[in-house]
Amino acid sequence: MKRLRVAMIGYGFMGAAHSQGWRTAPRVFDLPVEPEMAVLVGRNADAVAAAARKWGWAESATDWRDVIAREDIDVVDIVTPGDSHAEIAIAALEAGKHVLCEKPLANTVAEAEAMAEAAKRAAVRGIRAMVGFTYRRVPAVTLLRNLVAEGAVGTVNQVRASYRQDWLVDPKMPLAWRLQKEHAGSGALGDIGAHAIDLAQFVTGLALEKVSGTVDTIVKERPLLDSGSGLSGAAGAGYGTVTVDDIAIFTGRFETGALASFEASRFATGRKNALQIEVSGDKGALAFDLEDLNSVQFYDRTAPADRQGFRKVLVTEAGHPYLSGWWPAGHMLGYEHGFSHQVKDLVEGIADGIDPHPTFADGLQVQRVLEAVEHSSHNDSAWTRVAAGVTAAAL
C-alpha cells in the first residue's frame, strides 16, 4: 500500500480541524503510507463543495453511503453529530474501511457497544478503528502520562480534572444541535466531560470503577435556529427546550480506590477552553492546563525541603513526544497540532497492523462512565458502578 485515500463525513468545526491534520501530518512526519484527502461528504452540495475547495479535499459528495461503497476509499473519518456515529462507523467497518470517529464514540452505551463489536470483528480482517480523543496527543499530555507511568508521582492518590467553557452564559445563544439530546446525546457531560474522563484515565493508566454526580440545565429554553441556517447557525423566531445538561459535577473512584473529582461546564464565566488535570501521588504531583498547553507543572516531593515547589517544564524539546518533527526547542505548538499527531498515530497503526489508541473499546468505556454519571444524577447522586450503570447499594 502506497496511499490511503480518505473520505471525511461532516465538515463543521471538527471538519476544519481534522482537515488540518490530514493536510499537515505527511509534510511533518515521515509516514509509512501517504494519506490522500480524497472526498469530503456533507448534505448541502454547495456548502460541502466550498469546504472541500477551502480545506484541500479533491472532491465532494452528498451521500456517505455511496462514498463508503467506493473501492478507492480506504479510510473513513467521521466528524458528524453523535446521532449518526454508530450507523456510519459500522457501515464503514463492514465495508472494509479503517475508521476514525470523533468523540464521544456514540450517544448511548448500546450504540457504543455495537460499534466496539463491529471494530472487533473488523480487526480480524486487518481493519483498524480509533476514537478522536485528540487531547491525548498534546505533547505535554503524552509526557504527563509517560511520567506517571515511570513513577514520577509514585502511587496515585487523587486526581482533579475539569473542562470549563462559557459559551452558553448568554441566554440568547440559539438552540444549536449540541443542545438537543437527539443529536448530541448529552451536553457538557458528553461533549467536554468526555475529554476530562478520558484524560484522567489515559494519564493515570487507571479505569474509573464508580461515580457519584449531578448534572443540571441552567438555561432551559433558547431561541430556535433560523430555518435556513443549518444545525448551528443564527437565531430565528420562537424558543425551544434545551434537552441536555449545561453543567456536570461528579466524583469518581478508580479501580485502585483512588478518588477523582470532575467538572464539565459551559457556564464557567471567563473560561474559554480550560481543560485542566492534576495528579497527586505519594512522591509528587503533575499538572496540565490546556490554556498553557506547551508545559507541565511538576512537584517532586522527594527533593530536599528547601527546594520543593511546583516547577514548570517547557515541553518543546526534540525528545519530548511528537516534537521531533516540528520546530527548534522553545518554539510553541497549538491546538491544531494534536490533529496532525492523531493522523500520524492512525496511519502508523494501519501500516503496522496494530490497533491505534484510543480504540473503540476505550471509547465504549468512556461512554459507560457518562451513562453512570447521568444515572447517578437521576438517583440523588447515588454511587453508581460504571460497568453496569446500576446503583450499587452495597457501596
Side-chain angles (χ1 to χ4, degrees):
M1 184 184 297
K2 294 182 179 180
R3 286 184 175 271
L4 284 171
R5 288 177 54 82
V6 182
M8 187 169 73
I9 303 173
Y11 60 97
F13 161 54
M14 272 296 107
H18 279 229
S19 295
Q20 171 77 7
W22 289 113
R23 197 167 53 242
T24 306
R27 291 163 178 79
V28 175
F29 302 103
D30 294 324
L31 300 181
V33 185
E34 178 82 9
E36 181 180 335
M37 297 168 67
V39 191
L40 182 64
V41 185
R43 290 179 295 185
N44 184 310
D46 292 338
V48 73
R53 289 191 297 270
K54 182 177 181 180
W55 297 338
W57 294 89
E59 61 177 290
S60 62
T62 57
D63 191 327
W64 63 263
R65 293 174 181 84
D66 289 345
V67 172
I68 284 175
R70 286 171 46 169
E71 293 185 1
D72 63 336
I73 296 300
D74 305 300
V75 179
V76 173
D77 185 359
I78 304 168
V79 295
T80 58
D83 59 328
S84 60
H85 285 186
E87 182 182 12
I88 298 171
I90 292 171
L93 290 167
E94 290 178 347
K97 317 301 183 186
H98 307 288
V99 173
L100 170 62
C101 182
E102 253 305 314
K103 64 81 226 163
L105 185 61
N107 279 3
T108 68
V109 167
E111 289 176 343
E113 287 175 340
M115 294 170 73
E117 281 299 316
K120 185 177 179 180
R121 293 193 301 269
V124 176
R125 297 178 284 122
I127 305 303
R128 308 300 161 191
M130 188 171 81
V131 190
F133 281 111
T134 320
Y135 291 127
R136 286 186 176 207
R137 293 176 166 85
V138 173
V141 171
T142 307
L143 176 64
L144 203 69
R145 190 276 310 268
N146 294 347
L147 290 172
V148 171
E150 292 168 9
V153 302
T155 300
V156 174
N157 293 325
Q158 182 183 3
V159 176
R160 290 164 292 280
S162 64
Y163 202 157
R164 295 174 293 163
Q165 300 173 341
D166 71 352
W167 62 279
L168 287 183
V169 172
D170 182 357
K172 296 180 181 179
M173 180 67 68
L175 191 67
W177 71 266
R178 292 183 185 276
L179 308 182
Q180 302 171 52
K181 192 173 183 66
E182 66 268 27
H183 295 302
S186 67
L189 175 63
D191 184 24
I192 54 179
H195 275 304
I197 292 165
D198 182 69
L199 216 60
Q201 296 186 136
F202 171 67
V203 166
T204 63
L206 304 174
L208 285 164
E209 188 175 80
K210 48 200 173 190
V211 295
S212 169
T214 299
V215 302
D216 197 10
T217 305
I218 297 173
V219 174
K220 295 177 172 56
E221 287 190 336
R222 290 186 176 274
L224 294 171
L225 287 170
D226 183 274
S227 59
S229 65
L231 286 175
S232 57
Y239 281 76
T241 301
V242 176
T243 52
V244 299
D245 59 278
D246 292 328
I247 184 170
I249 298 175
F250 63 99
T251 303
R253 192 178 289 279
F254 290 108
E255 55 196 322
T256 60
L259 281 171
S261 60
F262 294 87
E263 177 184 353
S265 175
R266 292 165 168 169
F267 274 78
T269 305
R271 300 296 182 184
K272 302 305 175 184
N273 204 37
L275 173 60
Q276 299 169 322
I277 185 168
E278 185 170 325
V279 181
S280 301
D282 60 347
K283 293 182 180 179
L286 285 160
F288 168 78
D289 184 345
L290 184 63
E291 293 182 348
D292 187 14
L293 84 170
N294 287 280
S295 69
V296 300
Q297 298 284 333
F298 176 49
Y299 181 93
D300 183 3
R301 187 171 170 271
T302 67
D306 62 348
R307 277 168 275 173
Q308 287 185 2
F310 275 95
R311 71 174 188 264
K312 182 175 182 177
V313 178
L314 194 61
V315 187
T316 63
E317 297 292 334
H320 285 142
Y322 301 106
L323 267 300
S324 61
W326 294 102
W327 320 122
H331 292 72
M332 307 301 180
L333 299 191
Y335 168 78
E336 73 278 10
H337 292 82
F339 295 92
S340 297
H341 303 158
Q342 179 171 261
V343 167
K344 174 183 183 295
D345 289 346
L346 175 61
V347 170
E348 289 178 346
I350 292 171
D352 294 340
I354 59 175
D355 290 329
H357 287 261
T359 63
F360 276 18
D362 297 325
L364 169 59
Q365 201 278 336
V366 172
Q367 202 74 45
R368 286 174 171 157
V369 176
L370 298 175
E371 183 186 73
V373 173
E374 287 196 291
H375 189 282
S376 174
S377 180
H378 294 155
N379 289 274
D380 295 325
S381 302
W383 277 103
T384 303
R385 290 198 182 277
V386 169
V390 296
T391 302
L395 298 182

